[in-house]
Amino acid sequence: MERVLVLYANPADTDRIRLDKEHRAIDQALLTSCLPTDIVIRRHATTFNDLVTALADTEFSIFHFSGHGSSNGIYLEGESDDEGELITAKRIASLLSKTKPDLKAAIFMCCFSADAIPDLIVTAPYLMTVFGSTDDEAAIEFVHQFYEQYFKHQSVTKACFFAEELTRGTTSCPFQTSGTFGR
């Protein structure tokens, strides 16, 4: 089973989001599939240094970020506890494409991440993003469905398809998955 890197960030100067429930949804998918929890590597309250260290020291096939985003990039924890740090989509894409050229999928569960598709498209053959803003419930449900299907079928293609189908009409989150393009 290939490994997954999940980075969570909810800086103090942003609205609270339920990353704990998303963490739990992934755990439930692992449990349902009878897989060991160590195939998912997680970093909470992720800073830019944490991101770079994880890219340098961790082997994984799926990159997943959950937190706040904007059309310009993602918000990680800042050097001070008071505010987050915006990391541009272009910088994230450069880091991922240079350090993980064999990445199978990149997931950005953050508002407005679809605006960065032109930059992020080089990161992986499959890219999952959010159009506009989202809510916790929808993001949690999508993540749960994606990982449950991925762990069951060992296929990003099937997991994307089933997650979209199983959440269509039941959530208010405008998810976008794009496949077989990029590098």
Side-chain angles (χ1 to χ4, degrees):
M1 168 57 76
E2 295 174 329
R3 297 176 85 193
V4 177
L5 174 65
V6 181
L7 304 178
Y8 299 107
N10 191 180
D13 62 336
T14 61
D15 293 337
R16 181 174 185 252
I17 49 180
R18 296 304 305 267
L19 299 176
D20 55 333
K21 286 191 172 188
E22 189 173 310
H23 182 122
R24 184 173 182 255
I26 295 171
D27 280 349
Q28 288 174 325
L30 284 165
L31 185 62
T32 300
S33 300
C34 299
L35 292 171
T37 58
D38 66 349
I39 63 170
V40 178
I41 303 114
R42 298 183 182 137
R43 302 291 183 264
H44 289 273
T46 304
T47 64
F48 182 73
N49 286 342
D50 295 334
L51 166 66
V52 172
T53 300
L55 293 177
D57 297 344
T58 310
E59 290 303 317
F60 55 91
S61 298
I62 295 176
F63 173 86
H64 177 137
F65 171 77
S66 284
H68 289 282
S70 76
S71 57
N72 298 321
I74 64 172
Y75 288 96
L76 296 178
E77 298 287 335
E79 292 302 315
S80 77
D81 286 338
D82 296 342
E83 59 186 54
E85 177 182 4
L86 177 68
I87 308 300
T88 66
K90 189 171 284 203
R91 191 167 187 194
I92 295 280
S94 176
L95 284 167
L96 287 172
S97 64
K98 289 177 182 171
T99 62
K100 300 299 178 189
D102 297 324
L103 200 60
K104 286 188 170 185
I107 302 167
F108 292 89
M109 283 288 113
C110 53
C111 295
F112 304 104
S113 54
D115 292 352
I117 287 174
D119 291 323
L120 297 174
I121 201 167
V122 300
T123 60
Y126 282 90
L127 176 63
M128 283 156 266
T129 58
V130 177
F131 278 106
S133 62
T134 186
D135 63 46
D136 280 342
E137 186 178 314
I140 293 163
E141 181 61 21
F142 185 88
V143 165
H144 175 76
Q145 293 298 337
F146 174 81
Y147 284 109
E148 191 165 283
Q149 298 303 318
Y150 177 70
F151 295 147
K152 184 186 298 183
H153 299 289
Q154 301 295 301
S155 166
V156 173
T157 305
K158 286 182 180 179
C160 288
F161 171 78
F162 285 122
E164 283 184 329
E165 289 300 314
L166 292 168
T167 58
R168 186 168 306 197
T170 61
T171 67
S172 60
C173 191
F175 296 106
Q176 169 70 35
T177 62
S178 306
T180 62
F181 60 79
R183 303 189 265 245

